Amino acid sequence: MKRLALVSAASCALLLTACATTPAPSAEDAGLRPVQSNHDTEGQSGYGQFLAGQKAQADGQNDEASSYFARAEALGAETGTLKHRIFQAALFSGDVTRAAASAPGEGEASVMVVRLGLLTRAVEALAVNDAATAKAIMIDQTVGFPHRQASVLLTPWVAAAAGDEEGAVARPVLRGDRLVEVFGLLGQAQLLERFNRLDEAEANYRILMGFGDASAIFAPDYGAFLERRKRAAEAVVVYDTALKARPGDPALTAARERAAKKRKAPAMPTIREGSSRALLIPASAMLADKQYQLALAYLRLSARLDPKREELWLELGDVYTGLEDAENARSAYAQVKAGSREYTAARSRLAWSLQAAGDSDKALKMAAEAAAGGQRDALLTYADLLRANQRYAESVTTISRVIEIDGDKADWRLFYMRGVSRERAGDWPGAEADLQKALAQQPDEPELLNFLGYAWIDRGQNLGQALDMVQRAVSANPRSGAMIDSLGWAYFRMGDYRNAVDFLERAVTLEPADPDINDHLGDAYWQVGRQIEARFQWTRVLQLKPDAAMKAKAEAKLANGLTGVTPVVAER
């Protein structure tokens, strides 16, 4: 069966998908780019330290880079570019204190980096309880583009630290920014509670609870607020509603149990905790937009204020994954503790990182241990990894447990995943039933149309309907080599070899390294008499690391040519 791009049910975004944000600046726009130097290096030991720092920073070793740059400065290396480098390396390594001390001033770096330096100095001041300095920076100065989102969300917390009630409870506003609008409501609610303006705080929480399934993000905050008001029964209702959207969520489950048993309510967030969360929002937005350097900077600032916040480690791992630094990514994911809300996601990412590194045994063991508790997302990760390791029957069993957990809410992705695993396990009747269930829920999904349509084509079933399905998939994704291959293969199976060649040539141009597509094109060439080209394609298949079955077929065709092809007449 051909390669497919399967949509994982475990990868659904909640609020970041629902909330449109302002366009993220590129790292280059932010001034966070490698600086090329024209210095003459001969005889300059300080510059040698600078070069070593550049190399360490390029390798992601920001701790080492920071030390090299500091030595370069001590040895008298030119300080314009150097100060920028010291600041950047210190911030990226998590040494916010050193970064604040070395933040470049006007004329010492790009405007964007100078503004990030201001934000860093404000965070450091807040961290050491110097609210007056933090307020002077955040309110009396301007931390502008590209850091406005972070600045706007952080400023009310700085005002609260300085005792400025009016500034603290003002709702953050950034025109056109949905994340600021939504998370500004949350921050305002928490600060209103701090100033004992409880009715106003609850009004904000009720708005946040109106965001459908995405409101589950804010349920722990509202529930804790209710618990602090001695309204535990209402908190239980809030947690129950959220658990319908996020079945088995460990943090929500623990919160519900706490409220139901009327245990001690969580404390109101401290100013440092609230400030840390305010910075986590733009970090998440930058991460979603693949602006990894800015995300890393904000995560380090957030961690300076609340290093125990475990979402930081999860997102830090995601940043390092985006930067292709697997070692640091795995180290970050491993910091998330069992029982944390982020634990399942962290173990999932850690397992997939191990899988990518070729350690499938350890990846499966880790995923199995996480799934043993029966938590939904952990089961999904385990099912995905089982499928990736061709353990299809076990994957079917695991996905079935998730479908049972979801009940009537089980969506098309789950049936699609189970259908794929059933097809690979040799249970075509079961696979077909699941795929048709998925199609009934999502009749226009291109991946689903392509997979089921191709499966029918390959088996010579329902060719008229299958051809229409694959044509619809190609119309939706005209640059998908896999889908165009399905259409070309449909024509091949129906005996229309010239059309088959046309579409399969397009497909192999788009996906030149796909062994299935090259194999199909070789078959089509053979059928139109282009036997030399057919043998070239089959030889190409052997170079592309096919599975054992495809390798055997390609070798047989190279030895004996293509035999036994019988077109199937499509019903009309």
Side-chain angles (χ1 to χ4, degrees):
M1 188 66 184
K2 68 191 297 185
R3 173 193 54 77
L4 75 160
L6 182 62
V7 178
S8 171
S11 64
C12 301
L14 287 174
L15 201 67
L16 283 174
T17 300
C19 298
T21 65
T22 52
S26 67
E28 185 170 343
D29 289 336
L32 300 174
R33 58 186 185 274
V35 178
Q36 301 299 322
S37 174
N38 296 318
H39 292 185
D40 176 13
T41 62
E42 184 176 355
Q44 296 185 17
S45 59
Y47 187 66
Q49 296 294 311
F50 174 78
L51 288 178
Q54 278 193 312
K55 176 65 167 61
Q57 194 169 37
D59 291 341
Q61 304 300 320
N62 286 295
D63 286 329
E64 291 182 24
S66 184
S67 297
Y68 280 125
F69 291 142
R71 287 198 292 272
E73 184 178 41
L75 288 166
E78 188 175 319
T79 60
T81 295
L82 186 55
K83 192 165 187 179
H84 168 194
R85 288 289 189 170
I86 293 171
F87 164 71
Q88 185 175 335
L91 180 56
F92 286 174
S93 69
D95 188 349
V96 176
T97 301
R98 177 185 279 186
S102 59
E106 295 290 339
E108 294 181 319
S110 71
V111 173
M112 283 70 170
V113 174
V114 170
R115 289 171 178 172
L116 181 58
L118 285 173
L119 185 63
T120 301
R121 287 174 49 214
V123 167
E124 179 62 19
L126 200 58
V128 298
N129 300 316
D130 183 0
T133 296
K135 183 174 184 288
I137 293 170
M138 297 303 300
I139 296 174
D140 300 338
Q141 300 189 53
T142 300
V143 181
F145 177 86
H147 312 296
R148 285 293 293 155
Q149 195 178 66
S151 173
V152 166
L153 287 168
L154 181 62
T155 295
W157 291 96
V158 172
D164 176 6
E165 179 176 345
E166 183 179 352
V169 300
R171 183 179 301 179
V173 176
L174 187 58
R175 184 177 179 181
D177 194 308
R178 180 66 171 160
L179 279 181
V180 168
E181 179 184 344
V182 172
F183 283 95
L185 271 172
L186 174 66
Q188 186 186 42
Q190 292 172 329
L191 288 165
L192 284 165
E193 181 186 5
R194 173 167 292 277
F195 288 100
N196 206 35
R197 293 164 62 168
L198 304 180
D199 289 343
E200 294 171 82
E202 185 159 9
N204 276 22
Y205 279 123
R206 290 189 178 278
I207 294 172
L208 292 170
M209 290 300 101
F211 291 157
D213 285 352
S215 66
I217 295 173
F218 307 108
D221 302 291
Y222 184 33
F225 171 86
L226 292 170
E227 290 182 70
R228 288 192 289 273
R229 311 277 80 75
K230 309 299 183 185
R231 293 159 62 185
E234 294 173 66
V236 169
V237 173
V238 169
Y239 297 137
D240 281 341
T241 301
L243 281 164
K244 290 177 182 176
R246 302 177 74 164
D249 183 290
L252 287 169
T253 301
R256 188 201 184 283
E257 181 181 358
R258 180 188 64 228
K261 294 183 177 180
K262 297 186 178 179
R263 294 174 181 159
K264 184 178 179 181
M268 184 171 57
T270 67
I271 286 176
R272 286 181 60 167
E273 288 169 344
S275 300
S276 174
R277 189 169 181 180
L279 289 167
L280 192 59
I281 308 312
S284 299
M286 293 302 170
L287 175 59
D289 284 324
K290 300 183 179 180
Q291 304 300 322
Y292 299 120
Q293 288 187 319
L294 282 173
L296 179 57
Y298 293 150
L299 287 170
R300 293 306 195 185
L301 293 176
S302 180
R304 177 68 177 102
L305 296 167
D306 185 11
K308 294 182 180 179
R309 182 174 289 279
E310 292 200 315
E311 302 102 304
L312 289 166
W313 293 109
L314 183 67
E315 296 208 358
L316 191 61
D318 289 348
V319 166
Y320 281 123
T321 298
L323 293 170
E324 299 182 354
D325 184 346
E327 183 177 352
N328 273 326
R330 286 196 286 271
S331 177
Y333 293 141
Q335 298 299 316
V336 181
K337 303 295 189 294
S340 161
R341 183 174 190 165
E342 281 68 42
Y343 182 71
T344 297
R347 301 307 276 183
S348 169
R349 287 163 169 78
L350 186 52
W352 277 111
S353 180
L354 292 167
Q355 172 78 14
D359 195 348
S360 58
D361 289 342
K362 191 171 182 179
L364 282 166
K365 183 175 183 291
M366 180 176 294
E369 289 170 353
Q375 206 270 331
R376 181 185 185 277
D377 288 347
L379 289 167
L380 276 176
T381 295
Y382 188 39
D384 280 345
L385 276 166
L386 286 167
R387 190 185 67 251
N389 286 281
Q390 300 181 16
R391 290 166 59 173
Y392 301 117
E394 294 168 87
S395 181
V396 167
T397 300
T398 306
I399 298 170
S400 295
R401 291 176 62 190
V402 179
I403 291 173
E404 185 177 343
I405 289 170
D406 286 3
D408 292 340
K409 291 188 67 176
D411 83 351
W412 68 273
R413 294 174 185 84
L414 295 174
F415 294 111
Y416 181 22
M417 291 170 67
R418 190 170 69 177
V420 170
S421 291
R422 279 180 163 164
E423 189 274 337
R424 297 290 170 86
D427 176 14
W428 173 240
E432 188 175 32
D434 273 343
L435 294 167
Q436 287 180 313
K437 281 182 185 177
L439 194 63
Q441 286 189 24
Q442 199 77 10
D444 297 319
E445 169 55 44
E447 289 286 347
L448 183 54
L449 288 166
N450 181 62
F451 190 89
L452 180 55
Y454 179 89
W456 275 340
I457 289 162
D458 207 40
R459 288 169 172 79
Q461 298 175 354
N462 307 322
L463 284 182
Q465 183 182 357
L467 179 62
D468 176 68
M469 289 165 62
V470 174
Q471 286 172 333
R472 288 165 57 198
V474 170
S475 294
N477 286 295
R479 299 289 298 170
S480 169
M483 293 180 184
I484 294 171
D485 170 60
S486 296
L487 187 53
W489 195 241
Y491 286 120
F492 182 92
R493 294 287 287 147
M494 294 164 61
D496 187 349
Y497 301 120
R498 296 196 181 281
N499 258 329
V501 167
D502 289 343
F503 281 100
L504 292 168
E505 284 179 336
R506 284 172 53 191
V508 87
T509 299
L510 292 166
E511 300 277 359
D514 188 300
D516 294 273
I517 298 175
N518 281 275
D519 186 59
H520 288 166
L521 180 57
D523 290 2
Y525 279 153
W526 185 273
Q527 292 300 103
V528 296
R530 296 163 64 176
Q531 296 182 354
I532 294 175
E533 290 163 284
R535 292 185 185 280
F536 174 84
Q537 293 302 137
W538 295 330
T539 302
R540 173 79 174 141
V541 169
L542 296 177
Q543 297 168 348
L544 294 173
K545 299 181 180 178
D547 61 28
M550 182 176 293
K551 180 182 178 182
K553 286 197 303 180
E555 288 172 343
K557 285 185 283 193
L558 282 167
N560 306 310
L562 181 64
T563 60
V565 175
T566 304
V568 180
V569 179
E571 63 277 23
R572 297 293 182 183

